[in-house]
Structure formats: C-alpha cells, structure tokens
Coordinates of all heavy atoms in Angstrom, one line a residue:
P1 N 9.4 0.9 -2.9 CA 9.7 -0.4 -2.4 C 9.5 -0.5 -0.9 O 9.0 -1.5 -0.3 CB 11.1 -0.7 -2.8 CG 11.5 0.3 -3.8 CD 10.5 1.4 -3.7
Q2 N 9.8 0.6 -0.1 CA 9.6 0.6 1.3 C 8.1 0.4 1.6 O 7.7 -0.4 2.5 CB 10.1 1.9 1.9 CG 10.0 2.0 3.4 CD 11.1 1.2 4.1 OE1 11.9 0.5 3.5 NE2 11.1 1.2 5.5
V3 N 7.2 1.1 0.9 CA 5.8 1.0 1.1 C 5.3 -0.4 0.8 O 4.6 -1.0 1.6 CB 5.0 2.0 0.2 CG1 3.5 1.7 0.2 CG2 5.3 3.5 0.7
Q4 N 5.8 -0.9 -0.3 CA 5.4 -2.3 -0.7 C 5.8 -3.3 0.3 O 5.1 -4.2 0.7 CB 6.0 -2.7 -2.1 CG 5.4 -1.8 -3.2 CD 6.2 -1.9 -4.5 OE1 7.4 -2.1 -4.5 NE2 5.5 -1.9 -5.6
C5 N 7.1 -3.2 0.8 CA 7.6 -4.1 1.8 C 6.8 -4.0 3.1 O 6.5 -5.0 3.8 CB 9.1 -3.8 2.1 SG 9.8 -5.0 3.3
L6 N 6.5 -2.8 3.6 CA 5.8 -2.6 4.8 C 4.3 -3.2 4.7 O 3.8 -3.8 5.7 CB 5.7 -1.1 5.2 CG 7.0 -0.5 5.6 CD1 6.9 1.0 5.7 CD2 7.5 -1.1 6.9
I7 N 3.7 -3.0 3.6 CA 2.4 -3.6 3.4 C 2.5 -5.1 3.5 O 1.7 -5.7 4.1 CB 1.8 -3.1 2.0 CG1 1.4 -1.7 2.1 CG2 0.6 -4.0 1.6 CD1 1.0 -1.1 0.8
N8 N 3.5 -5.7 2.8 CA 3.7 -7.2 2.9 C 4.0 -7.6 4.3 O 3.5 -8.7 4.7 CB 4.8 -7.6 2.0 CG 4.4 -7.5 0.5 OD1 3.3 -7.4 0.1 ND2 5.4 -7.6 -0.4
T9 N 4.7 -6.8 5.1 CA 5.2 -7.3 6.4 C 4.2 -7.1 7.5 O 4.0 -7.9 8.3 CB 6.5 -6.5 6.7 OG1 7.5 -6.8 5.7 CG2 7.1 -7.0 8.0
Y10 N 3.5 -5.9 7.5 CA 2.7 -5.5 8.7 C 1.2 -5.5 8.4 O 0.5 -5.6 9.4 CB 3.2 -4.2 9.2 CG 4.6 -4.2 9.7 CD1 5.6 -3.4 9.1 CD2 4.9 -5.0 10.8 CE1 6.9 -3.5 9.6 CE2 6.2 -5.1 11.3 CZ 7.2 -4.3 10.7 OH 8.5 -4.3 11.1
S11 N 0.8 -5.3 7.2 CA -0.7 -5.2 7.0 C -1.3 -6.6 6.8 O -0.6 -7.6 6.6 CB -1.0 -4.3 5.8 OG -0.8 -5.1 4.6
N12 N -2.6 -6.6 6.9 CA -3.3 -7.9 6.8 C -3.7 -8.2 5.3 O -4.6 -9.0 5.1 CB -4.6 -7.9 7.6 CG -5.6 -6.9 7.3 OD1 -5.4 -6.1 6.3 ND2 -6.7 -6.8 8.0
Q13 N -3.0 -7.7 4.4 CA -3.2 -8.0 2.9 C -2.8 -9.4 2.7 O -1.8 -9.9 3.2 CB -2.3 -7.1 2.1 CG -2.5 -5.6 2.2 CD -3.9 -5.3 1.6 OE1 -4.2 -5.7 0.5 NE2 -4.6 -4.5 2.3
T14 N -3.7 -10.2 2.0 CA -3.5 -11.6 1.8 C -2.6 -11.9 0.6 O -2.1 -13.0 0.5 CB -4.8 -12.3 1.8 OG1 -5.6 -11.8 0.7 CG2 -5.5 -12.2 3.1
D15 N -2.6 -11.0 -0.4 CA -1.9 -11.2 -1.6 C -0.7 -10.3 -1.7 O -0.8 -9.1 -1.9 CB -2.8 -10.9 -2.8 CG -2.2 -11.4 -4.1 OD1 -1.3 -12.2 -4.1 OD2 -2.7 -10.9 -5.2
P16 N 0.5 -10.9 -1.4 CA 1.7 -10.0 -1.3 C 2.0 -9.3 -2.6 O 1.8 -9.8 -3.7 CB 2.8 -11.0 -1.0 CG 2.2 -12.3 -0.8 CD 0.8 -12.3 -1.2
L17 N 2.5 -8.1 -2.4 CA 2.9 -7.3 -3.5 C 4.4 -7.6 -4.0 O 5.2 -8.1 -3.1 CB 2.9 -5.8 -3.1 CG 1.6 -5.2 -2.7 CD1 1.8 -3.8 -2.1 CD2 0.7 -5.1 -3.9
N18 N 4.7 -7.4 -5.2 CA 6.0 -7.5 -5.7 C 6.7 -6.3 -5.2 O 6.2 -5.2 -5.4 CB 6.1 -7.6 -7.2 CG 5.6 -8.9 -7.8 OD1 5.7 -9.9 -7.1 ND2 5.1 -8.8 -9.0
V19 N 7.9 -6.4 -4.5 CA 8.6 -5.3 -4.1 C 9.5 -4.9 -5.2 O 10.7 -5.2 -5.2 CB 9.4 -5.6 -2.8 CG1 10.1 -4.3 -2.3 CG2 8.4 -6.1 -1.7
D20 N 9.0 -4.1 -6.2 CA 9.7 -3.8 -7.4 C 9.8 -2.3 -7.6 O 10.4 -1.9 -8.6 CB 9.0 -4.4 -8.6 CG 7.5 -4.0 -8.7 OD1 7.0 -3.1 -8.0 OD2 6.8 -4.7 -9.5
G21 N 9.2 -1.5 -6.7 CA 9.3 0.0 -6.8 C 8.4 0.6 -7.8 O 8.4 1.8 -8.1
I22 N 7.5 -0.3 -8.4 CA 6.5 0.2 -9.4 C 5.2 0.6 -8.7 O 4.6 -0.3 -8.0 CB 6.3 -0.8 -10.5 CG1 7.6 -1.0 -11.3 CG2 5.2 -0.3 -11.5 CD1 7.6 -2.2 -12.2
L23 N 4.8 1.8 -8.8 CA 3.6 2.3 -8.2 C 2.4 2.0 -9.2 O 1.8 2.9 -9.8 CB 3.7 3.8 -7.9 CG 2.6 4.4 -7.0 CD1 2.6 3.6 -5.7 CD2 2.9 5.8 -6.8
G24 N 2.1 0.7 -9.3 CA 1.1 0.2 -10.2 C -0.3 0.1 -9.6 O -0.5 0.5 -8.4
I25 N -1.2 -0.5 -10.3 CA -2.6 -0.7 -9.9 C -2.7 -1.5 -8.6 O -3.4 -1.1 -7.7 CB -3.4 -1.3 -11.0 CG1 -3.5 -0.4 -12.2 CG2 -4.8 -1.7 -10.5 CD1 -4.1 -1.1 -13.4
R26 N -1.9 -2.6 -8.5 CA -2.0 -3.4 -7.3 C -1.5 -2.7 -6.0 O -2.0 -2.8 -5.0 CB -1.3 -4.7 -7.5 CG -2.0 -5.7 -8.4 CD -1.5 -7.1 -8.4 NE -1.6 -7.7 -7.1 CZ -0.5 -8.2 -6.4 NH1 0.7 -8.1 -6.9 NH2 -0.7 -8.7 -5.2
T27 N -0.3 -2.0 -6.2 CA 0.2 -1.2 -5.1 C -0.7 -0.1 -4.7 O -0.9 0.1 -3.5 CB 1.6 -0.7 -5.5 OG1 2.5 -1.8 -5.8 CG2 2.3 0.1 -4.4
R28 N -1.2 0.6 -5.6 CA -2.2 1.7 -5.3 C -3.4 1.1 -4.5 O -3.9 1.7 -3.6 CB -2.6 2.4 -6.5 CG -1.6 3.3 -7.2 CD -2.0 3.8 -8.5 NE -1.0 4.6 -9.2 CZ -0.9 5.9 -9.1 NH1 -1.7 6.6 -8.3 NH2 0.1 6.5 -9.7
A29 N -3.9 0.0 -5.0 CA -5.1 -0.6 -4.4 C -4.7 -1.1 -2.9 O -5.5 -0.9 -2.0 CB -5.6 -1.8 -5.2
A30 N -3.6 -1.6 -2.8 CA -3.1 -2.1 -1.4 C -3.0 -0.9 -0.5 O -3.3 -0.9 0.7 CB -1.8 -2.9 -1.5
I31 N -2.4 0.2 -1.0 CA -2.2 1.4 -0.2 C -3.6 1.9 0.3 O -3.8 2.2 1.4 CB -1.5 2.5 -0.9 CG1 0.0 2.1 -1.1 CG2 -1.6 3.9 -0.2 CD1 0.8 3.0 -2.1
R32 N -4.5 2.0 -0.7 CA -5.9 2.5 -0.4 C -6.6 1.5 0.6 O -7.4 2.0 1.5 CB -6.7 2.7 -1.6 CG -6.2 3.9 -2.4 CD -7.2 4.4 -3.4 NE -6.7 5.6 -4.0 CZ -5.9 5.7 -5.1 NH1 -5.5 4.6 -5.7 NH2 -5.5 6.9 -5.5
S33 N -6.4 0.3 0.5 CA -6.9 -0.7 1.4 C -6.4 -0.5 2.8 O -7.1 -0.5 3.8 CB -6.6 -2.1 0.9 OG -7.1 -3.1 1.8
V34 N -5.1 -0.3 2.9 CA -4.5 0.0 4.2 C -5.0 1.2 4.8 O -5.4 1.3 6.0 CB -2.9 0.0 4.1 CG1 -2.3 0.6 5.4 CG2 -2.4 -1.4 3.8
Q35 N -5.1 2.3 4.0 CA -5.7 3.5 4.5 C -7.1 3.4 5.0 O -7.5 3.9 6.0 CB -5.6 4.6 3.4 CG -4.2 5.1 3.1 CD -4.2 5.9 1.8 OE1 -5.0 5.8 0.9 NE2 -3.2 6.8 1.7
G36 N -7.9 2.6 4.2 CA -9.3 2.4 4.6 C -9.5 1.7 5.8 O -10.3 2.0 6.7
C37 N -8.7 0.6 6.0 CA -8.8 -0.2 7.2 C -8.4 0.5 8.4 O -9.0 0.4 9.5 CB -7.9 -1.5 7.0 SG -8.1 -2.7 8.4
N38 N -7.4 1.4 8.3 CA -6.8 2.1 9.4 C -7.5 3.5 9.6 O -7.1 4.3 10.4 CB -5.3 2.3 9.2 CG -4.5 1.1 9.4 OD1 -4.3 0.7 10.6 ND2 -4.2 0.4 8.4
Q39 N -8.5 3.8 8.7 CA -9.3 5.0 8.7 C -8.4 6.3 8.7 O -8.5 7.2 9.5 CB -10.1 5.0 10.0 CG -11.1 3.9 10.0 CD -11.9 3.8 11.3 OE1 -11.7 4.5 12.2 NE2 -12.8 2.8 11.3
V40 N -7.5 6.3 7.7 CA -6.7 7.5 7.5 C -6.8 7.9 6.1 O -7.2 7.2 5.2 CB -5.1 7.2 7.8 CG1 -4.9 6.8 9.2 CG2 -4.6 6.2 6.8
S41 N -6.6 9.2 5.8 CA -6.7 9.7 4.5 C -5.6 10.8 4.3 O -5.0 11.3 5.3 CB -8.1 10.3 4.2 OG -8.3 11.4 5.1
E42 N -5.3 11.1 3.1 CA -4.3 12.1 2.8 C -4.9 13.2 2.0 O -6.0 13.0 1.4 CB -3.1 11.5 2.0 CG -2.4 10.4 2.7 CD -1.6 10.8 3.9 OE1 -1.4 12.0 4.1 OE2 -1.1 9.9 4.6
P43 N -4.3 14.4 2.0 CA -4.9 15.5 1.2 C -4.9 15.1 -0.3 O -4.2 14.2 -0.8 CB -3.9 16.6 1.4 CG -3.2 16.3 2.7 CD -3.2 14.8 2.7
A44 N -5.7 15.8 -1.1 CA -5.9 15.6 -2.5 C -4.5 15.6 -3.2 O -3.7 16.5 -2.9 CB -6.8 16.6 -3.1
G45 N -4.3 14.7 -4.1 CA -3.0 14.6 -4.8 C -1.9 13.9 -4.2 O -0.9 13.6 -4.8
I46 N -2.1 13.5 -2.9 CA -1.1 12.7 -2.2 C -1.5 11.3 -1.9 O -2.6 11.1 -1.4 CB -0.7 13.4 -0.8 CG1 -0.1 14.8 -1.1 CG2 0.2 12.6 0.0 CD1 0.2 15.6 0.1
L47 N -0.8 10.4 -2.4 CA -1.1 8.9 -2.2 C -0.6 8.5 -0.8 O -1.3 7.8 0.0 CB -0.5 8.1 -3.3 CG -0.8 6.6 -3.3 CD1 -2.3 6.4 -3.3 CD2 -0.1 5.9 -4.4
V48 N 0.7 8.8 -0.5 CA 1.2 8.4 0.8 C 1.9 9.6 1.4 O 2.8 10.2 0.9 CB 2.3 7.3 0.6 CG1 2.9 6.9 2.0 CG2 1.8 6.0 0.0

C-alpha cells in the first residue's frame, strides 16, 4: 500500500491505483512505468 500511495501521490501516473495492498497487474505496470521514467532498475527477482 505504501508503494501504491506513493505512486498516486508523487508520480505522473494519470490513472490512480487502488491502495489495497494487492500486487496485481496494474500495480506492477505502474511500478515498471515509474522505474522506466526514472531510469532505474532492480536486480532479477526484485520488483521494488
């Protein structure tokens, strides 16, 4: 939920996520979008 809230609050995502604690398809896509925009990556197997 912290990740979801931070994406809704600070990133330029236009479609807010439900802050429900579920690491679903939309949350994963939003995380990857934030990573891509900010040009960061994580080691294999780590999402955040």
Side-chain angles (χ1 to χ4, degrees):
Q2 183 78 0
V3 168
Q4 293 167 327
C5 182
L6 290 169
I7 289 172
N8 288 344
T9 304
Y10 296 117
S11 77
N12 63 1
Q13 298 290 313
T14 56
D15 190 18
L17 296 170
N18 289 331
V19 182
D20 56 11
I22 298 171
L23 193 57
I25 294 170
R26 288 190 62 237
T27 299
R28 289 172 184 268
I31 291 168
R32 288 197 173 90
S33 176
V34 167
Q35 290 169 332
C37 187
N38 289 277
Q39 300 174 356
V40 299
S41 61
E42 299 292 351
I46 296 177
L47 182 61
V48 179

